[in-house]
Amino acid sequence: MSPTETKDSSTKQEVEIEVPAEEVTRQTEVLVQKYQKLARLPGFRVGHVPSSIIRKRFSEEIKSDVIEALVPKYFREAAQKRGLLPISQPRVTDLKLDAGGPLHFKAAFEVLPEIKVDGYKELRAEKPEIAVSDADVDRALEDLREQRATYTEIEGSPLGDGDFAQISLHGQPKSGEGQPVQLDDVMVEIGGKSTLTEFTDHLRGASVGDEPTFDVVYPADYSDQRLAGQTFSYTVKVKAVKQKVLPELDAEFAKQLGEFAEVTEVRQRIRENIEAEGRHKAEHEAKDRLMAELVRRNEFEVPDSLIEAQIDIRLERGLRALAAQGMRREDLQKMNLDQLRVGQREQAIRDVKGQLLLDKVAEQENIQVSDQELDHEVENAATQTNQTLESVRARLLKDGGLERIRERIRSEKTLEFLYRQSD
Amino acid sequence: MKSAYQTIVRPVITEKGLDVKESQNTLVFQVAPKATKTEIKEAVQSIFKVKVRSVRTLNFVGKERRRGRFAGFRPDWKKAYVRLKAGEKMPEYAQNL
């Protein structure tokens, strides 16, 4: 074997490999024998076809089989010899194979560039103080009261602003097309923000038993598409006039919410929750910034194949999210994938860089994932998907998912490490 | 005049055909059913430029073939064993069989 190597960039490598003629002949011999055992030709019993006929009849097949057998083998050997770790499938060019002669080919592939990660110890993340004001707590408390509001009927008084009308309504589209609307026992707030002005205007002043009739013009951008842009003629029956009653902020209310004895305890819990949420968010943002800074400080060339793979992952994720939001398959297929790919490229490069840098940091800091941590994660996945631990583990073992999870945990731990030491 | 290629239809390549090629310097052909030994001899000599020592022939009766209720027959054909004179070189097509 006389491989030569040419370098044209830090990530792209090309090796020229020549497989000696003897090796090619030996491989051909092996294949001929294999074909001889299986070949079914008219005029010959199975297994009795002379090798000369096999060679002639199956010359193309044997040639491609020889290439298939030798190219990857010699490519791997050549890569190993030079200590290169290919991360992409080799692209084979200049393939030459003549009967009885050596096999000659060039293989272009990508390797990870030399990554030096510097200055991650000096990375500093801002850790803002999380301040929760009394107003924040008050607002949260108000929301809670709203959620637990009850409605009490008011006798003998017409509907005024702020009152709630319990109505049943029947709506007929004016255009004659579309489905009529029929709803019973709806609560409508007179003058409320989420109430259409037509309803407010026509119901204000009405009393129980009134049946006003009026038209409602839905704006073209109305949230319910079936109604948007349509005009409906409504017949409404007022069944009751009700008033919203917010629960008092007292021990009774606190008990309703859970194991609280006093409102002060509720306030305390709310404050803690808001704080935790804020801290979580801040931590997340800080980590994002840390990553961005890490990538900025360590510039290196990213192999194309990794970028493409990352774009694939991002698109896959995006499309699945869209599908989960109820986007139809036909619409998804209509999207211009090439354009999307270009759009994803920048972010994909950042992703890959960050990932590679984190790996490197993990290596330098000797951050490892213990089996217990892995088990724990698998267990979580199992409970989330409602499967048994064993079946999840078996599946992951089979498709190599376990290693992926291990890598993910390692990245998370590394990021956590960066965050912790960034004080 | 009938062409030599109307007499010789195709070579017959079988285990037995290879055997007799080695042991008896003989080529095997499918030939036209009406061809005579003399015609076969002359056809082989003119196509492959070799001297023929002898020709043995045998007739095959076409087998019955059915497509559902329609019965028919495969064509009858004739096989010829053509022995070349001693020392004659095998034609190229037969050399690496």
Side-chain angles (χ1 to χ4, degrees), chain A residues 30 36 40 71 92 157 180 185 209 247 261 276 367:
Chain A
V30 170
Q36 213 170 355
R40 202 177 275 280
V71 166
V92 175
S157 116
D185 291 329
I367 294 172

Side-chain angles (χ1 to χ4, degrees), chain A residues 63-272:
Chain A
K63 193 170 157 184
S64 68
D65 279 8
V66 166
I67 290 168
E68 212 170 284
L70 292 181
V71 166
K73 187 173 154 210
Y74 274 79
F75 170 70
R76 256 202 314 281
E77 256 171 41
Q80 222 164 37
K81 219 175 203 169
R82 236 150 297 131
L84 298 172
L85 272 178
I87 50 165
S88 68
Q89 287 298 317
R91 239 194 23 258
V92 175
T93 47
D94 287 354
L95 192 71
K96 274 192 224 92
L97 172 62
D98 299 315
L103 170 68
H104 182 100
F105 65 93
K106 277 184 188 160
F109 59 98
E110 291 188 298
V111 292
L112 271 188
E114 191 92 359
I115 299 173
K116 275 212 231 43
V117 51
D118 278 330
Y120 62 88
K121 286 224 160 97
E122 287 87 57
L123 284 180
R124 290 292 167 262
E126 285 169 47
K127 289 178 189 170
E129 281 297 309
I130 310 292
V132 181
S133 69
D134 284 340
D136 291 334
V137 180
D138 285 342
R139 216 172 11 245
L141 213 47
E142 268 320 296
D143 286 345
L144 272 178
R145 283 179 70 197
E146 284 282 337
Q147 279 168 24
R148 294 183 177 261
T150 49
Y151 298 90
T152 50
E153 201 158 341
I154 326 170
E155 299 283 338
S157 116
L159 280 160
D161 279 353
D163 287 345
F164 282 77
Q166 187 182 354
I167 57 172
S168 65
L169 56 84
H170 179 80
Q172 191 72 38
K174 279 240 158 170
S175 59
E177 290 163 34
Q179 294 291 315
V181 179
Q182 175 74 48
L183 287 170
D184 288 317
D185 291 329
V186 200
M187 296 299 271
V188 175
E189 185 183 4
I190 305 301
K193 268 185 244 141
S194 55
T195 310
L196 288 165
T197 46
E198 281 94 339
F199 275 93
T200 295
D201 293 346
H202 288 95
L203 288 174
R204 188 181 291 132
S207 310
V208 178
D210 284 0
E211 288 192 31
T213 311
F214 52 90
D215 292 349
V216 175
V217 183
Y218 287 100
D221 56 352
Y222 192 67
S223 60
D224 191 334
Q225 284 207 344
R226 283 166 303 174
L227 302 176
Q230 297 245 47
T231 306
F232 273 72
S233 161
Y234 279 105
T235 309
V236 176
K237 183 169 179 177
V238 181
K239 286 184 158 173
V241 177
K242 291 194 170 174
Q243 204 170 28
K244 192 180 199 172
V245 180
L246 296 180
E248 286 299 315
L249 275 179
D250 52 16
E252 187 65 27
F253 177 62
K255 250 176 232 143
Q256 263 184 27
L257 289 174
E259 72 283 22
F260 305 108
E262 289 295 331
V263 175
T264 46
E265 282 179 33
V266 178
R267 294 184 70 94
Q268 182 59 30
R269 172 65 67 89
I270 290 174
R271 181 179 292 273
E272 281 166 14

Side-chain angles (χ1 to χ4, degrees), chain A residues 201-394:
Chain A
D201 293 346
H202 288 95
L203 288 174
R204 188 181 291 132
S207 310
V208 178
D210 284 0
E211 288 192 31
T213 311
F214 52 90
D215 292 349
V216 175
V217 183
Y218 287 100
D221 56 352
Y222 192 67
S223 60
D224 191 334
Q225 284 207 344
R226 283 166 303 174
L227 302 176
Q230 297 245 47
T231 306
F232 273 72
S233 161
Y234 279 105
T235 309
V236 176
K237 183 169 179 177
V238 181
K239 286 184 158 173
V241 177
K242 291 194 170 174
Q243 204 170 28
K244 192 180 199 172
V245 180
L246 296 180
E248 286 299 315
L249 275 179
D250 52 16
E252 187 65 27
F253 177 62
K255 250 176 232 143
Q256 263 184 27
L257 289 174
E259 72 283 22
F260 305 108
E262 289 295 331
V263 175
T264 46
E265 282 179 33
V266 178
R267 294 184 70 94
Q268 182 59 30
R269 172 65 67 89
I270 290 174
R271 181 179 292 273
E272 281 166 14
N273 282 350
I274 296 178
E275 252 175 26
E277 204 176 293
R279 216 175 303 128
H280 190 78
K281 197 169 143 220
E283 188 176 321
H284 196 75
E285 278 168 8
K287 281 179 178 172
D288 274 355
R289 273 198 299 277
L290 275 178
M291 281 307 296
E293 184 63 18
L294 189 64
V295 170
R296 200 182 60 74
R297 286 190 190 199
N298 295 282
E299 197 46 54
F300 61 92
E301 203 180 346
V302 185
D304 272 339
S305 56
L306 284 187
I307 298 174
E308 290 300 321
Q310 181 65 21
I311 292 177
D312 283 344
I313 293 172
R314 290 184 68 88
L315 282 184
E316 172 80 1
R317 218 184 280 153
L319 290 181
R320 212 179 293 162
L322 285 177
Q325 280 166 23
M327 200 152 162
R328 285 200 314 275
R329 186 174 281 270
E330 306 91 78
D331 293 341
L332 285 178
Q333 276 160 356
K334 254 182 256 158
M335 287 194 295
N336 184 345
L337 279 181
D338 285 342
Q339 213 176 330
L340 284 177
R341 293 191 80 88
V342 175
Q344 290 289 333
R345 196 173 173 84
E346 277 301 303
Q347 187 56 42
I349 292 176
R350 269 201 299 276
D351 286 355
V352 173
K353 276 184 180 169
Q355 192 52 50
L356 291 174
L357 285 170
L358 276 187
D359 282 350
K360 200 74 191 171
V361 173
E363 202 176 292
Q364 282 179 20
E365 293 296 327
N366 203 16
I367 294 172
Q368 272 163 13
V369 179
S370 67
D371 286 345
Q372 286 96 324
E373 283 170 301
L374 197 59
D375 283 350
H376 186 69
E377 191 68 24
V378 174
E379 223 167 289
N380 278 349
T383 27
Q384 259 175 34
T385 51
N386 253 334
Q387 295 173 53
T388 61
L389 182 57
E390 289 75 36
S391 74
V392 172
R393 193 196 302 274

